[in-house]
Amino acid sequence: MDVARQLFAKNGFENTTMNDIALLSGKGRRTLYTYFKSKEDVYYAVIESELERLSDKMDEVAARKISPQDKVIELIYTHLNMIKETVMRNGNLRAAFFRNIWMVEKVRKNFDEDEIELFRKVYSEGKESGEFDIDSVELVADITHYCIKGLEVPYIYGRLGHGMTPETSKPLVAKFVYGALGKNGIK
């Protein structure tokens, strides 16, 4: 997977062949075709492995012993920072990511569902503890996920907050999020 990711990042999806992947990985083409039917399947697997990295980081944040409101903010910034890091780290793969968003969306489906479930758990925890005043955990989790997803491209390109750093923007984002969640005592 790492060899394929490197080739896609360096050469782009169109200019990478199954033969290139086999040669650089030290495997035969037949071996490669044993595991993958096509170059598209390899590409999907690369995107899935990148999303697994993001998912693992999100799970780490959710497991931290911090308040639900702090978890929400940390989850938002972890998502945005990890997506930005992944896209920037992958060179030409970045162009394919933006050009073929429907391919990425197809691969992303499981990650999206897992992320929404993670937000549901955090919102339920906050609602049960009285930190959040929300009527529908499911709806708020869906809205949060899709809002974050919509912020990815502006965040990657540095167009969010007009030059603000995450450190300076976090309190403002927290105030916005806490207000939407019915949090009375904004930090």
Side-chain angles (χ1 to χ4, degrees), residues 114-127:
D114 290 345
E115 183 176 68
I116 290 168
E117 185 57 34
L118 196 61
F119 275 108
R120 284 181 185 143
K121 287 178 184 172
V122 173
Y123 289 140
S124 291
E125 179 185 333
K127 185 175 180 176

Side-chain angles (χ1 to χ4, degrees), residues 102-113:
W102 296 116
M103 181 188 285
V104 174
E105 282 299 307
K106 179 180 170 185
V107 177
R108 232 182 120 139
K109 186 176 185 235
N110 290 335
F111 167 78
D112 289 349
E113 290 170 358

